[in-house]
Amino acid sequence: MNSSKFFIDQHGCAKNQVDGELIISLLQKKNWIQTFDAGEADLIIVNSCGFIESAKTESLNAVMSARQMYPKAKILLAGCLAERYANDLRDSLTEADGFFGNGKLDEIYKILDPLMNDERPVLVPEQKGVCCGDRNLLLNFPRSAFVKITEGCNNRCSFCAIPIIRGNLRSRPAEEIVTEIKELVSRGIYEINLIGQDLAAYGTGATDNCFGDGRTRLPNGTPGTEVAGGTLTSNTESGLCRLMKMISAIPGTFAVRLLYIHPDHFNKDILPVIKADKRFLHYFDIPFQNGDDQIIKAMNRVGSTAMYRDLISTIRTELPDAAIRTTLMTGFPGEKVSSFESTKAFLRDINPNWSGCFSYSKEDDTPAYDFKNQVPHKTAEERANELVKIQAEITKEKLASYCGQEFDVLIEEVLNQGEDNPDEGLAIARAWFQAPEVDGSVVVRYDFSDEVQKKAVKVGRLVRVKIDASTDVDLNGDFIADSPLNNSIADNSFKFAPDLI
């Protein structure tokens, strides 16, 4: 019986989080014991991010810190950084005892014995399909889970290293995704967050056959983005639309959030599906990246700011309460003052609830790496900060508009009673327009002396609140009642990381 213990140090995006959850379950199947105290671990796994320079630095620092703090443990660099740079890092990153890519996670078994026997293995498995499987512990807050529907990307944006790291687009079979969602719902998960590098491209990979009738077309007939290879289905609906209709047929109480839809081929045929099933949240994460047509073209995107403005207008016409999140990049090579002014105007015009604004990162092996007219990093940072300020004004106004309204919110953390008022209980929650980890929260006030309210306000439960105040990023509200939705949500049978409970 194996009594070795492992600790996982998680970095990066939601897709990498799912990979981490899969690694945990794979090791547990081999009787490894997970510990949440790195000092107890025989093996420390740094599940790294390799997307941009700051993320790479963070992951490398995590390895070096682990080596210094826990000299007796074996340290495995896993994830995107290992996938991309394993052979280079083997010589330079002596603090790591092994390297494991993310192309095929179940091959982690191949390196465990060599790793623990001081052989310093390097394994970067061939990328096939979409890594999935049992997950016994989730790294989300209770009642929320990410479901990966694609891996890799075919968009080939000139600044992006994701295709280098994760490979070409591959999509999971629709029935497999539906089965996983049914399983999650049966085990008490309420919020399902669909993730992939580009949900719009679901089913369009060269080898995809998600519905048994061939790969699907990219939506809306976007020029210049058709995928070669494979049999093309005669069905005219987008793959994402077809998948969502299958999800809509699942019985039960749950909510579905769509994350990361590329704007160049946004699936407009999903809007009627969302309108017809209230379980699909009116939340759209659409990474526009820039608001200047010349920069957008240099990014190897085929859309335009006019097209993107029309898209937002269409969404809001069909779903007036839609919450929009986007991502904007500053300092892309060739960005002039006039280009940046266009992006500022674009941000104000589309008026998103949330946006992430960051400066360009010069990534090895991407086309933009060799572009002329590189923008100084300081300038790019200053421009990003300016966009952050503009977005803060927009978000503050959006949040103020929710005051006076009532929402069901998902409790993520229960705090102590208020210091000035021992009868005032406080909890942190999220409403439907707040995605996990990236958006703000709802601070819930309740009567700590009321046993009914204390019983209702528990981590992983939904409660009804009335919003009475807003800040720059958060909302405050008073407990009204326990949500009746709780009565039809299955009992939770998942474990969650202790620091998230």
Side-chain angles (χ1 to χ4, degrees):
M1 182 74 176
N2 185 13
S3 59
S4 298
K5 295 182 179 181
F6 73 96
F7 174 88
I8 189 162
D9 181 14
Q10 187 65 38
H11 297 264
C13 65
K15 296 178 288 296
N16 213 40
Q17 178 179 308
V18 172
D19 288 349
E21 293 164 352
L22 292 169
I23 289 172
I24 290 169
S25 293
L26 287 166
L27 265 63
Q28 289 174 335
K29 286 180 180 178
K30 292 295 183 181
N31 298 318
W32 280 74
I33 300 169
Q34 184 179 14
T35 178
F36 298 98
D37 180 354
E40 297 180 347
D42 302 289
L43 170 62
I44 296 174
I45 303 170
V46 177
N47 194 28
S48 64
C49 178
F51 180 45
I52 58 176
E53 192 61 36
S54 59
K56 289 185 282 188
T57 299
E58 177 185 298
S59 295
L60 291 172
N61 286 341
V63 172
M64 291 184 282
S65 176
R67 171 53 65 220
Q68 182 178 10
M69 295 177 66
Y70 311 108
K72 294 183 180 180
K74 296 296 183 183
I75 300 173
L76 176 66
L77 179 66
C80 289
L81 195 62
E83 177 72 23
R84 190 176 181 190
Y85 295 113
N87 292 317
D88 295 330
L89 291 173
R90 191 183 194 283
D91 294 328
S92 60
L93 189 64
T94 57
E95 293 84 356
D97 297 298
F99 303 85
F100 178 64
N102 52 22
K104 200 170 186 299
L105 295 177
D106 57 8
E107 291 194 13
I108 194 171
Y109 297 144
K110 294 181 179 180
I111 68 165
L112 292 177
D113 286 343
L115 177 66
M116 303 309 291
N117 289 325
D118 302 325
E119 295 181 25
R120 209 155 181 266
V122 175
L123 179 59
V124 181
E126 182 181 358
Q127 295 173 329
K128 289 185 177 180
V130 180
C131 293
C132 54
D134 296 334
R135 290 181 282 164
N136 299 319
L137 178 138
L138 298 180
L139 300 173
N140 289 45
F141 286 100
R143 302 287 185 187
S144 178
F146 292 111
V147 174
K148 193 188 296 188
I149 70 170
T150 68
E151 187 62 275
C153 187
N154 287 341
N155 289 313
R156 296 299 191 273
C157 298
S158 61
F159 59 85
C160 185
I162 291 298
I164 301 169
I165 300 170
R166 296 266 181 176
N168 292 328
L169 174 72
R170 295 98 68 197
S171 305
R172 292 176 68 186
E175 286 289 355
E176 185 179 283
I177 296 168
V178 169
T179 297
E180 179 176 6
I181 292 174
K182 287 179 178 178
E183 173 72 10
L184 291 169
V185 171
S186 73
R187 296 182 63 184
I189 296 299
Y190 169 71
E191 180 187 60
I192 304 292
N193 298 281
L194 300 185
I195 58 171
Q197 195 59 35
D198 176 15
L199 298 190
Y202 174 74
T204 67
T207 61
D208 286 350
N209 187 15
C210 298
F211 305 95
D213 58 1
R215 64 181 180 85
T216 62
R217 293 179 173 85
L218 283 168
N220 305 328
T222 308
T225 54
E226 187 54 85
V227 181
T231 302
L232 189 64
T233 178
S234 60
N235 195 305
T236 58
E237 291 180 319
S238 72
L240 183 59
C241 176
R242 297 176 72 183
L243 174 63
M244 289 173 61
K245 286 184 175 181
M246 293 174 67
I247 294 172
S248 186
I250 300 173
T253 299
F254 59 92
V256 179
R257 186 189 311 277
L258 306 174
L259 296 176
Y260 326 129
I261 303 180
H262 195 292
D264 283 357
H265 36 261
F266 183 95
N267 319 68
K268 291 182 180 178
D269 57 0
I270 69 175
L271 297 177
V273 182
I274 294 173
K275 290 176 70 174
D277 188 341
K278 63 182 181 181
R279 295 176 300 178
F280 287 109
L281 302 178
H282 298 180
Y283 182 102
F284 300 90
D285 188 337
I286 309 171
F288 291 112
Q289 301 298 357
N290 207 266
D292 180 83
D293 285 336
Q294 288 187 331
I295 297 297
I296 291 170
K297 184 177 180 180
M299 288 179 166
N300 197 34
R301 293 184 160 210
V302 298
S304 66
T305 53
M307 172 181 151
Y308 296 163
R309 286 181 172 92
D310 286 345
L311 171 59
I312 294 299
S313 177
T314 297
I315 292 172
R316 288 181 170 145
T317 297
E318 295 295 319
L319 303 167
D321 65 340
I324 307 294
R325 163 170 274 279
T326 191
T327 304
L328 294 171
M329 177 192 298
T330 59
F332 186 82
E335 183 183 68
K336 304 174 183 177
V337 173
S338 59
S339 309
F340 179 58
E341 290 299 320
S342 295
T343 296
K344 288 164 58 178
F346 177 76
L347 177 59
R348 290 190 174 100
D349 286 348
I350 64 170
N351 203 37
N353 299 63
W354 315 97
S355 70
C357 305
F358 63 99
S359 59
Y360 167 72
S361 177
K362 189 176 181 181
E363 293 300 311
D364 298 334
D365 302 320
T366 61
Y369 185 91
D370 295 318
F371 282 5
K372 296 179 180 180
N373 301 317
Q374 298 280 332
V375 177
H377 180 70
K378 182 180 179 181
T379 301
E381 285 287 300
E382 290 172 348
R383 291 173 179 175
N385 291 335
E386 193 168 345
L387 292 183
V388 168
K389 291 179 181 178
I390 294 172
Q391 182 60 56
E393 296 171 0
I394 296 171
T395 296
K396 186 175 182 179
E397 182 178 344
K398 293 279 188 182
L399 291 176
S401 71
Y402 293 122
C403 290
Q405 299 186 50
E406 297 180 6
F407 300 101
D408 283 337
V409 298
L410 181 63
I411 301 293
E412 292 190 331
E413 184 178 3
V414 178
L415 307 176
N416 295 326
Q417 301 105 295
E419 294 180 4
D420 299 328
N421 180 4
D423 289 335
E424 182 184 71
L426 297 173
I428 304 298
R430 281 188 298 106
W432 67 265
F433 45 82
Q434 296 166 319
E437 301 179 11
V438 294
D439 299 331
S441 301
V442 177
V443 178
V444 180
R445 296 185 299 266
Y446 65 100
D447 188 346
F448 197 80
S449 66
D450 186 322
E451 290 301 320
V452 173
Q453 294 191 27
K454 281 179 64 176
K455 184 178 179 180
V457 182
K458 299 291 185 184
V459 172
R461 291 183 64 83
L462 293 159
V463 298
R464 193 76 173 173
V465 300
K466 183 172 183 178
I467 304 300
D468 66 356
S470 63
T471 66
D472 290 347
V473 293
D474 297 321
L475 294 167
N476 299 327
D478 290 318
F479 174 93
I480 296 176
D482 192 23
S483 171
L485 294 176
N486 292 311
N487 298 327
S488 53
I489 299 175
D491 291 337
N492 173 62
S493 63
F494 276 101
K495 294 181 180 179
F496 295 87
D499 60 344
L500 294 180
I501 299 176

